[in-house]
Amino acid sequence: MKLDTTVENACMTVRLSGRLAVDAAPVLEELIDHQLANIKELILDFGGVDYVSSVGLRAILKAQQKMKDLHGSLQLKNVTKPIADLFEMTGLDRILHFERKPRTLSIDGLELIAKGANGECYKIDEETVVKLYFDFVKEASALKEKELAKQAFVAGVPTPISFDVVECGNRRGILYEMIKADTLSKYIEKNVDRLDAVVEMYVTFCKQIHSIVPTTNIFPDAVTLACGYVDACEFFNDRQRAFLKDRLLLTQRQGTLIHWDLHPGNIMMQGDSLCLIDMGDMAVGTPYFDLGQIKQVLHYYAGLGLCYKFTGLGDANAMRVWEKFVASYFDHPDSEALAVIEENIDFYRAIKNVFLYLCNSGGETMRSRRKDFIFQMLPKEFAQLK
Ligand SMILES: Nc1ncnc2c1ncn2[C@@H]1O[C@H](COP(=O)(O)OP(=O)(O)OP(=O)(O)O)[C@@H](O)[C@H]1O
Ligand SMILES: [Mg+2]
């Protein structure tokens, strides 16, 4: 058994290889007893471990207890199938936090089905696709999307089954059930005569998502995330930050699901019903977070001639869809009521744009434009806050 240890900030990664059994356990125990004083996160990389005995299991539990005492965490990474099976058989899967070693995948010869901003979708077989993230997408984001997709499915969201995480060179991917259908964007483009009826379906679908209260706390709270984005955004002054956060904290905590990128390019028309994909930003919060992003894409990007590029829905149709969508979602309000609704939508739209600014979505040109959008979306007095 070999240990290879690296420490970065308060995170120690230990790569283990060989057999974690009676001879090797004391080595791990020595590390636990003497080297963890300032460590908050211990990662044991099990990629090279081919056997674990009961003595080895006890050493892992000891490491877990030690990290608990230090108010830190223990994670096991790259756990191979036989060892994951052992954790399950012994019941330790209920107390250990571990990630399985991703299966390796080659995309040679696979058919490219579609391309998004974060990755590409390849057909594996008649039932399965892989969403392969570009190499700039962090592994943690891929894992997060898979977990959110899985929990959304359990909560009753119509979404494809998510299977394993795979690796392809330095890219990560998720295997999904293949939905043999057009995106809602494509469907609208092909069936413009059905636009009114399709918008009604789209509204009903969004309201369905917006009424689900998940029973797990895996979905982050959108208001908390949003306050974090406001804090991290360097071009706001302190009073502007306080203004935004005060208003965010007034948000009714409904605890219902939001997707946060609920445009027609992320919905698929499966038979007569709709199915949601691209679940990486799911959270709980008010529907206004979703409505803000839907307006951004269907109204604002369409105005810039960019909606087709981002979602596959033509710009003129997108504008029509948005007008009908907002009217239907709010039961056909009069123009005064609609103005109040749109002001609120614009507030949440601005918040999503802060997030997109921070992650540089759309590249440098979009980034410099986005700062101007954000001020335009907020009430006039906001810019004057000094
Ligand atoms: N399960 C699936 N079955 C069939 N096609 C899929 C599936 N998942 C994704 N796709 C196709 O791949 C495209 C891109 O997927 P997705 O929206 O998840 O990627 P993304 O890179 O995160 O996109 P975005 O540009 O919205 O950030 C979709 O528009 C769809 O055409
Ligand atoms: Mg998408």
Side-chain angles (χ1 to χ4, degrees):
M1 158 103 172
K2 265 177 58 190
L3 297 190
D4 172 16
T5 305
T6 49
V7 178
E8 205 183 317
N9 301 321
C11 173
M12 178 186 279
T13 302
V14 184
R15 269 183 205 86
L16 307 149
S17 48
R19 292 164 61 87
L20 180 51
V22 72
D23 308 339
V27 186
L28 190 56
E29 292 197 8
E30 197 281 330
L31 176 123
I32 297 164
D33 290 338
H34 302 292
Q35 295 179 45
L36 296 180
N38 297 312
I39 299 299
K40 286 278 166 259
E41 199 183 345
L42 176 63
I43 298 173
L44 298 181
D45 187 332
F46 266 63
V49 176
D50 40 37
Y51 175 76
V52 183
S53 74
S54 62
V55 180
L57 290 176
R58 278 196 288 278
I60 299 169
L61 291 177
K62 191 171 173 196
Q64 163 128 317
Q65 186 55 49
K66 177 80 177 194
M67 290 314 294
K68 232 186 215 162
D69 296 346
L70 295 169
H71 304 289
S73 66
L74 170 73
Q75 277 188 55
L76 275 51
K77 268 181 67 168
N78 288 323
V79 175
T80 54
K81 187 166 184 322
I83 293 173
D85 288 348
L86 176 71
F87 291 160
E88 273 160 24
M89 277 183 291
T90 51
L92 293 187
D93 61 319
R94 275 174 267 143
I95 44 175
L96 290 175
H97 181 78
F98 70 92
E99 280 163 13
R100 289 166 187 270
K101 187 172 184 164
R103 171 152 90 79
T104 51
L105 175 92
S106 160
I107 49 171
D108 289 350
L110 297 185
E111 179 192 342
L112 177 65
I113 299 180
K115 207 174 190 163
N118 295 306
E120 297 163 322
C121 186
Y122 289 91
K123 178 174 170 182
I124 300 277
D125 57 38
E126 287 309 316
E127 313 302 336
T128 328
V129 295
V130 61
K131 174 172 174 178
L132 195 60
Y133 295 89
F134 295 122
D135 48 13
F136 61 79
V137 176
K138 293 200 184 92
E139 182 182 5
S141 308
L143 294 172
K144 184 179 121 207
E145 180 167 343
K146 178 183 150 37
E147 198 48 35
L148 292 174
K150 190 169 140 191
Q151 293 301 334
F153 184 87
V154 172
V157 175
T159 187
I161 303 170
S162 48
F163 301 107
D164 287 349
V165 174
V166 293
E167 68 182 11
C168 176
N170 54 359
R171 297 170 67 181
R172 285 286 183 274
I174 304 176
L175 297 181
Y176 282 106
E177 168 190 6
M178 172 150 70
I179 305 298
K180 292 171 193 142
D182 282 336
T183 62
L184 187 59
S185 292
K186 231 186 197 166
Y187 183 85
I188 295 172
E189 285 299 302
K190 286 186 188 167
N191 301 276
V192 185
D193 54 320
R194 292 206 59 219
L195 191 128
D196 287 5
V198 175
V199 171
E200 288 309 313
M201 274 182 88
Y202 182 20
V203 169
T204 308
F205 184 69
C206 292
K207 288 191 171 179
Q208 180 193 345
I209 309 289
H210 295 156
S211 67
I212 296 177
V213 180
T215 50
T216 148
N217 59 5
I218 181 150
F219 296 98
D221 174 50
V223 170
T224 309
L225 288 178
C227 288
Y229 305 150
V230 169
D231 277 334
C233 187
E234 80 283 355
F235 59 72
F236 293 137
N237 62 40
D238 287 348
R239 286 195 62 206
Q240 289 170 332
R241 273 190 202 105
F243 173 97
L244 295 173
K245 282 163 65 179
D246 284 351
R247 184 153 169 186
L248 276 168
L249 291 167
L250 287 175
T251 305
Q252 243 192 322
R253 295 287 225 277
Q254 295 178 199
T256 49
L257 281 181
I258 58 161
H259 177 269
W260 231 344
D261 201 12
L262 197 45
H263 61 69
N266 281 336
I267 300 174
M268 302 190 81
M269 187 76 174
Q270 193 180 24
D272 292 335
S273 48
L274 300 177
C275 178
L276 192 57
I277 58 168
D278 205 359
M279 317 290 275
D281 293 332
M282 288 213 76
V284 287
T286 163
Y288 276 94
F289 283 107
D290 268 341
L291 299 171
Q293 175 65 1
I294 296 171
K295 179 174 177 183
Q296 174 74 6
V297 174
L298 296 185
H299 180 77
Y300 204 81
Y301 289 163
L304 297 173
L306 292 171
C307 186
Y308 183 74
K309 182 175 167 215
F310 289 155
T311 72
L313 177 60
D315 299 303
N317 284 334
M319 295 268 198
R320 288 175 61 202
V321 170
W322 169 248
E323 263 172 43
K324 289 174 192 291
F325 179 95
V326 68
S328 169
Y329 195 98
F330 291 97
D331 286 331
H332 305 278
D334 61 25
S335 56
E336 214 172 300
L338 184 62
V340 175
I341 290 167
E342 293 246 12
E343 193 274 339
N344 205 27
I345 289 178
D346 282 343
F347 173 78
Y348 290 91
R349 186 157 79 91
I351 297 295
K352 175 77 186 199
N353 272 276
V354 172
F355 165 73
L356 295 170
Y357 173 87
L358 291 171
C359 56
N360 207 8
S361 171
E364 278 308 318
T365 343
M366 207 58 182
R367 187 175 164 88
S368 56
R369 273 172 141 181
R370 222 179 274 281
K371 185 175 162 189
D372 297 335
F373 301 164
I374 292 168
F375 283 92
Q376 285 160 19
M377 285 170 218
L378 290 165
K380 282 200 185 60
E381 62 272 22
F382 177 76
Q384 266 106 56
L385 289 172
K386 290 271 155 29

